[in-house]
Amino acid sequence: MNMSDYKPTIGLEVHAELKTRTKMFCDSLNDPTELHPNVNVCPVCLGHPGTLPTINKLAVEHVIKVGLALQGTPNKRTKFDRKNYFYPDLPKAYQISQSGEPLMLGGTLRNVKINHIHLEEDAGKLIHDDSSGGTLVDFNRASVPLMELVTEPDMHTAEDAVAFMRELQLILRYLGVSDADLEHGQMRADANISVSATDELGTRAEVKNLNSFNSVFLAINHEIKRQTEMLEKGEKIRQETRGWDEIRQKTVSQRSKEEAQDYRYFPEPDLPPFETSVFDVEALRASLPELPDAKRTRFMKEYGFDEKQTEILVSEPAFANYFEEAVSELKEQAPDVSSQLLYNYLTTDLWGLMKQTGTDFADMKIVPEHLAHLAALIGTEKVTSRQAKDILARMFETGADPTEIVASEHIGISSDMGEIEAVVTAVIAENEAAVHDYKKGKTASLQFLIGKAMSKLKGRARPDMLTEIFKRMLEN
Ligand code: ADP
Ligand code: MG
């Protein structure tokens, strides 16, 4: 058989930490920016005996929104379960999770069917301390709300799996329910991979805790290759849990796959099951923002952008909103100036200044209206593009309105013909030699004269206009 006869299949389990003020089952703060260990803890999330959990309503609403955004449906009834295992980052020795009756069912994203989304709590963080050789534990993250989205085995390449995760990340950010930053551990995935030469799915391996898009990509490809080679040799794939070894760039066996029974799942006795109709699902649906795909379609149609241009805005929702506010101002101020011009100043010049100075969008001083004013000034030829660069730099520093900069400092393109002609006349009188050379056919002398005039005018004239006036005057 050929390597290509083996078809890979992938299913993902994606975890994302939810943005809430407090933790999943207590009122300790959920603050991922807290640097001091074991500050945001209380008897409940530390698992002291006799304490009782309460459900974080906002976390439930977040997961309902994610499910709705992916065309899923709320389960009629949902409940929490205890998943029992022992590990030093898990103070209760069980995790409150959901097993039989998850919060959201079904849905789809990028043609990948979603099995369900459930809600659970995160574990603490273990920190290996090199100086003592010991391990420290920080419970700030213990019991932070965590959603888990489980897909059907519907993907067939590593590229598809990464594209799925990227789009999910973007949607979570649009919804404002998670920062979904993989670098900060706010989003992570387990990838289940099998290969098969028949229509039946093969035995899968689950690669746990992938914490970057790159490791998702590499781990899946490594598994596809490893399993295919084993099958080629007539060996059997073992269902097992594997890990990604970043240094050796390969997956390594961790343990044979645990069964649900190993976790002794049982209903969480301290939290009652509840009907999801106690939540106003329709109000949550109505609160959903425009999602990335809808934005893509609309941007291409409304502004005539190509796919690449569209993606730049869609992948940065703050930029997309900024752009739209600026466009609406531009339409009012200068309806004939193209939104493309505005787009260029936003994504090239302004973005460049932000990168150069390391300025975050939140601290950027130029309001969208002012960027629109600048585009209007350029588009209606009131300032040259060279002047625009200087003006933009000053707007960036002070937040000033370019219309005011231009008016108060008399910059901008002069449309005062009398003024320009007077300058040209003076330049001709002061540069006899150059005039003489030009009349003898030395065209470079014209550039010299134009340069002189431009500097007297402090750049406030259009070069083509100056050329025309010089030619006219020198011909007589
Ligand atoms: P478990 O409960 O043991 O984790 P599930 O049936 O819930 O198993 O599946 C977990 C994940 O594994 C899902 O994302 C699913 O799509 C994926 N999966 C299941 N079977 C296969 C398979 N044969 N090949 C690839 N992925 C699979
Ligand atoms: Mg699993």
Side-chain angles (χ1 to χ4, degrees), residues 179-194:
D179 288 333
D181 215 325
L182 281 86
E183 271 170 55
H184 293 116
Q186 293 159 340
M187 185 173 176
R188 14 189 224 269
D190 305 337
N192 296 267
I193 303 119
S194 64

Side-chain angles (χ1 to χ4, degrees), residues 93-109:
Y94 61 83
Q95 175 195 33
I96 305 181
S97 180
Q98 298 196 285
S99 164
E101 298 176 58
L103 185 50
M104 296 299 296
L105 296 175
T108 160
L109 176 62

Side-chain angles (χ1 to χ4, degrees), residues 322 350 353 357 359 363-367 370-371 374 388-406 408-409 411:
Y322 186 99
L350 180 53
L353 281 172
T357 54
T359 307
D363 305 324
M364 209 270 297
K365 289 193 183 131
I366 304 176
V367 296
H370 290 175
L371 192 71
L374 182 66
K389 268 203 191 323
D390 297 341
I391 297 172
L392 184 70
R394 293 179 48 198
M395 292 163 67
F396 189 74
E397 225 160 77
T398 63
D401 186 340
T403 322
E404 276 160 31
I405 298 179
V406 167
S408 67
E409 296 172 29
I411 40 179

Side-chain angles (χ1 to χ4, degrees), residues 13 83 148 150 190 192 204 206 208 257-258:
E13 295 161 277
K83 180 179 179 178
E148 177 174 341
V150 180
D190 305 337
N192 296 267
R204 72 185 146 118
E206 177 172 2
K208 285 250 183 226
K257 166 92 180 134
E258 70 287 340

Side-chain angles (χ1 to χ4, degrees), residues 204-408:
R204 72 185 146 118
E206 177 172 2
V207 187
K208 285 250 183 226
N209 268 320
L210 296 166
N211 58 11
S212 70
F213 290 127
N214 196 37
S215 57
V216 170
F217 183 81
L218 295 172
I220 290 173
N221 279 337
H222 183 269
E223 264 313 291
I224 293 173
K225 185 158 176 278
R226 185 187 70 87
Q227 293 181 22
T228 308
E229 283 170 1
M230 282 180 73
L231 292 178
E232 276 282 277
K233 286 190 250 169
E235 289 171 32
K236 256 191 134 138
I237 310 289
R238 242 169 22 116
Q239 183 165 342
E240 61 181 351
T241 301
R242 300 180 71 87
W244 172 244
D245 185 331
E246 193 71 58
I247 294 161
R248 291 191 293 160
Q249 297 276 296
K250 61 195 277 193
T251 67
V252 287
S253 182
Q254 289 180 331
R255 52 176 190 260
S256 65
K257 166 92 180 134
E258 70 287 340
E259 302 291 335
Q261 69 212 24
D262 296 334
Y263 288 123
R264 274 191 316 119
Y265 275 105
F266 62 86
E268 165 60 61
D270 293 332
L271 293 170
F274 61 92
E275 306 268 324
T276 50
S277 59
V278 298
F279 284 82
D280 192 343
V281 173
E282 285 322 303
L284 290 172
R285 194 191 302 278
S287 78
L288 297 181
E290 180 181 43
L291 294 169
D293 245 354
K295 210 186 262 308
R296 285 187 186 100
T297 312
R298 187 168 62 77
F299 273 26
M300 294 207 230
K301 208 173 126 217
E302 236 170 89
Y303 307 116
F305 293 157
D306 63 27
E307 259 173 53
K308 210 171 143 205
Q309 289 179 316
T310 304
E311 208 49 43
I312 287 176
L313 289 183
V314 170
S315 63
E316 296 280 345
F319 259 79
N321 293 339
Y322 186 99
F323 172 77
E324 294 216 274
E325 277 177 46
V327 156
S328 95
E329 175 75 6
L330 183 65
K331 291 277 161 262
E332 246 170 63
Q333 295 273 318
D336 294 334
V337 176
S338 80
S339 23
Q340 187 71 55
L341 182 73
L342 183 67
Y343 176 90
N344 293 344
Y345 271 89
L346 174 63
T347 60
T348 310
D349 300 74
L350 180 53
W351 211 325
L353 281 172
M354 286 172 64
K355 275 196 195 132
Q356 232 174 62
T357 54
T359 307
D360 280 343
F361 203 73
D363 305 324
M364 209 270 297
K365 289 193 183 131
I366 304 176
V367 296
E369 290 73 19
H370 290 175
L371 192 71
H373 294 168
L374 182 66
L377 288 167
I378 304 159
T380 55
E381 302 194 328
K382 297 212 173 64
V383 299
T384 64
S385 57
R386 236 218 66 214
Q387 291 174 324
K389 268 203 191 323
D390 297 341
I391 297 172
L392 184 70
R394 293 179 48 198
M395 292 163 67
F396 189 74
E397 225 160 77
T398 63
D401 186 340
T403 322
E404 276 160 31
I405 298 179
V406 167
S408 67

Side-chain angles (χ1 to χ4, degrees), residues 139-151:
F139 289 118
N140 283 344
R141 201 182 66 180
S143 207
V144 159
L146 198 65
M147 59 159 254
E148 177 174 341
L149 177 151
V150 180
T151 76

